[in-house]
Every structure is written in structure tokens, then in C-alpha cells.
Amino acid sequence: MNAGIIGIGKYVPEKVLTNHDLEKMMDTSDEWIRTRTGIEERRIADDSMDTSDLGFEAAKKAIENAGISPEEIDLILVATVTPDQPFPTVACMLQERLGAKKAAAMDISAACSGFMYGVATAKQFIESGAYKYVLIVGVEKLSKILNWKDRNTAVLFGDGAGAAVMGPVSEGRGVLAFELGADGTGGKHLYQDEYVIMNGREVFKFAVRQMGESCMNVLEKAGLTKEDVDFLIPHQANIRIMESARLRLDLPEEKMSKTIHKYGNTSAASIPISLVEEVEAGKIKDDDIVVMVGFGGGLTWGSIVMRWGR
Ligand code: COA
């Protein structure tokens, strides 16, 4: 039995915070942010919405898109580092609000790699026959843990949610291989004290090395080569890091997802948000080979390769 993505949904808050808005809040410039990161604007959730509210909106759409009912979901995995509170988990909050009565629920804490960890975990439960449908939500309200006086971090991140329902798919389709990894020795380069603290240069070096490596490793695991890849969805952290992964796979620009200019780095939400946008734009079609790759705090990384379609 192959596990694959059978439904997707996203939600981003309405409020747009542009680079020009940030110029009024701190010593930065639209030119610096655009050229160094590729970000032009990001979405910020107001006080009426916490992480679970963002995740709920994306989850509802993914379940509807999958054509199943919430009662059929066996497991809810929420990838987030900005939960409403330490416990109960966001996954349990969604279990109640969605009416997913039989679902087990837990949060996954793997920072920006969280959605990749979620997909790999869901695959195990489905392919072992233990569960049929798993809901995975990547969601962050990073704005609540940013120091709005720190230009090194505040300009990079945004809020949002992306969700996917995974379940059995036809032969040959679904998640073909995954790679997950961690290097705790790099934890000091990106962490939360009260706010997000980051050594940008160290994270940048790690990301460039690991994104490319992980793409190649996961393809090898699936018995594929870079020539087989139809589309790449990299974690949207910095356009220069994303470009390094694209060039490693020798892909033309139009075959890489780019949503960073609109949303900034939404951590665990960035890959599923991008997936929704590319599928809706018709850029990912049935039987396309799609690579998704992320990295983040921990330090962690993760990649998957899938043949798209149910
Ligand atoms: N506006 C203006 N200047 C800024 C700035 C901002 N928002 N942020 C930093 N600077 C300044 C720095 O203070 C530094 O000034 P200095 O040379 O006088 O000390 C200068 O810009 C250059 O800094 P540097 O770190 O060399 O820039 P960079 O080209 O490496 O870009 C990042 C910085 C943060 C964009 C880049 O390192 C990066 O993207 N790193 C990875 C971060 C990441 O992906 N994090 C999320 C992981 S999931």
C-alpha cells in the first residue's frame, strides 16, 4: 500500500506587512530585504487568531479537498514551534474543533522541517496498515515570538498555515522516499529564548549544504535521478538558499516553487502553503515527480520525493 497526499488546504492571515512598513519600525530597507532574502511582504495574524485558529482554517479545507469526513481521520499531526500553549497541543485543539472524534493527536516540534517530519511519520502509519487517514498541519504564528526591534530576525518571518490529508493512493503514486536528519550541535545557531535568536550566516551555510545534499539523498533512496524531477518545493527561508537547491537539481526557474516574496518564512507552514499554490496554479500535475525539502532549527532537515496524484 502506498501513502500519498489526497487533499490540501492553506490559510494566511489578511493583514499584509510590507518591507516599507518595516522601514518605519526599524533600521532596515526594502532594498536590503529584497536583495538579501527575496521577501517583499509577509502576513501577520492579529490578536483574534492564535496558531490553532490558523491551523483550523487550513485543516478544514484540506479535509474537504480530500473528500472525507473529519470522523474518518485516524491521526492528527501538527507541526509547529508556536503552539497556543505548551499543552494541550494544537493537534488536540484541532481534534475537538474539527470533530475528528476517533483521531489520536500530537504536535511535532521540528521547526521549519516539521511538515517533512509529519509526512514521513504519516507514511509509516498508513503503509503499515495501522491507520488509513492522517491529517498533517504545518502552522506558525511566528509574529508572537519575534523581537520587533531585532532587524536580523523580524524581517524574515510571517504567519500562516498549510495542511494535507494523507491516505492510500494508487500504485506507483504517493510518497516514494523520505530523508530526515538532525544535528543538535548546531542548535545554538537558531533558537527561542524569549524571542527568536539567530546566527544568520551559520544557518545560511548549513542550509545551502543540507538542502542540496538531502535532495540528492532522497532521490537516490527512491531509485531516481535529478533528471526525473518535475518540480521542487524548497522551504521558503531565503531565495538564495532556495536557488542553491534548484541549481543542484539543474532545474529551470519555473520548476521551483517561489512564494517567499508574498509570505516570508512561515516555518513549518511554508512547504504546504507552497504546495497548495502550485497545485492550484496547475504547475503540479498527476504523475509529476515532486521533491519537497526543508531545514530549520534543531538543527533539522527533511526531504521527500513523491509521485503526485491519488
Ligand atoms: N536590514 C538592514 N541590514 C541588515 C538587516 C536588515 N534587516 N539584517 C542584517 N543587516 C545587516 C547586518 O547587521 C550586517 O551588517 P554589518 O556588516 O554592519 O554587521 C549586514 O547586514 C550583512 O549581514 P550578513 O549576515 O552578512 O548578511 P547576509 O547576506 O548573510 O544575509 C540573512 C543575512 C539573515 C538574510 C542570511 O544570513 C540568511 O538568510 N540566513 C539564513 C537564515 C534562515 O534561513 N533562517 C531561517 C531558518 S529556517
Side-chain angles (χ1 to χ4, degrees):
M1 193 195 304
N2 311 321
I5 292 175
I6 62 166
I8 49 176
K10 77 163 208 287
Y11 178 80
V12 291
E14 270 165 38
K15 188 185 166 199
V16 175
L17 185 70
T18 66
N19 292 348
H20 294 293
D21 295 329
L22 288 170
E23 284 175 348
K24 294 173 204 140
M25 296 163 62
M26 64 191 77
D27 180 18
T28 189
S29 67
D30 171 57
E31 207 264 333
W32 191 96
I33 301 170
R34 259 189 304 108
T35 54
R36 300 294 182 108
T37 72
I39 300 167
E40 291 166 23
E41 55 188 46
R42 71 286 291 141
R43 301 298 178 96
I44 302 293
D46 64 25
D47 290 344
S48 71
M49 289 194 107
D50 207 340
T51 300
S52 61
D53 303 299
L54 304 174
F56 177 65
E57 298 300 328
K60 265 193 312 192
K61 290 182 197 161
I63 295 166
E64 195 187 310
N65 185 242
I68 65 166
S69 80
E71 290 87 5
E72 292 177 89
I73 297 169
D74 297 294
L75 175 65
I76 299 174
L77 300 172
V78 174
T80 187
V81 291
T82 51
D84 297 39
Q85 65 276 313
F87 71 93
T89 57
V90 176
C92 283
M93 297 173 80
L94 294 189
Q95 193 253 4
E96 184 202 0
R97 284 180 69 181
L98 293 165
K101 292 196 182 68
K102 77 168 178 188
M106 65 174 168
D107 286 2
I108 291 180
S109 187
C112 305
S113 313
F115 190 75
M116 297 291 87
Y117 273 69
V119 170
T121 305
K123 176 179 162 72
Q124 309 312 311
F125 279 109
I126 296 163
E127 294 185 356
S128 69
Y131 290 148
K132 188 169 182 193
Y133 296 120
V134 181
L135 169 69
I136 309 144
V137 183
V139 55
E140 304 287 4
K141 186 177 175 181
L142 287 156
S143 58
K144 68 182 176 184
I145 60 163
L146 292 175
N147 176 355
W148 290 98
K149 294 191 177 93
D150 177 13
R151 67 177 186 177
N152 290 302
T153 52
V155 305
L156 301 177
F157 299 96
D159 302 335
V165 175
M166 282 181 66
V169 293
S170 0
E171 208 184 321
R173 288 181 173 173
V175 179
L176 307 175
F178 69 89
E179 183 194 61
L180 301 178
D183 176 8
T185 65
K188 57 183 176 288
H189 300 314
L190 179 57
Y191 61 96
Q192 184 189 355
D193 189 350
E194 182 183 358
Y195 301 116
V196 175
I197 314 277
M198 186 182 72
N199 179 339
R201 270 177 219 178
E202 285 301 324
V203 176
F204 192 94
K205 278 193 284 184
F206 159 78
V208 166
R209 186 179 68 242
Q210 209 56 59
M211 293 267 269
E213 283 293 314
S214 196
C215 288
M216 300 313 283
N217 291 344
V218 81
L219 285 170
E220 196 184 327
K221 282 188 178 186
L224 299 171
T225 66
K226 60 186 181 183
E227 283 73 30
D228 297 311
V229 178
D230 295 299
F231 208 82
L232 170 67
I233 303 182
H235 170 46
Q236 310 278 310
N238 183 312
I239 188 70
R240 293 179 291 149
I241 298 171
M242 293 157 55
E243 283 289 300
S244 74
R246 178 177 75 77
L247 295 173
R248 186 79 183 263
L249 294 178
D250 287 327
L251 285 173
E253 265 179 46
E254 65 275 13
K255 293 198 167 191
M256 179 182 80
S257 179
K258 186 174 146 285
T259 59
I260 188 171
H261 56 296
K262 296 191 283 186
Y263 306 130
N265 179 349
T266 57
S267 185
S270 97
I271 291 176
I273 287 175
S274 298
L275 175 64
V276 172
E277 297 225 338
E278 302 306 349
V279 171
E280 285 177 353
K283 290 203 204 157
I284 294 175
K285 300 175 292 298
D286 277 358
D287 289 315
D288 278 354
I289 295 289
V290 181
V291 171
M292 310 202 280
V293 60
F295 70 92
L299 298 167
T300 54
W301 65 91
S303 59
I304 69 140
V305 55
M306 62 184 172
R307 188 181 292 279
W308 184 250
R310 294 182 69 158

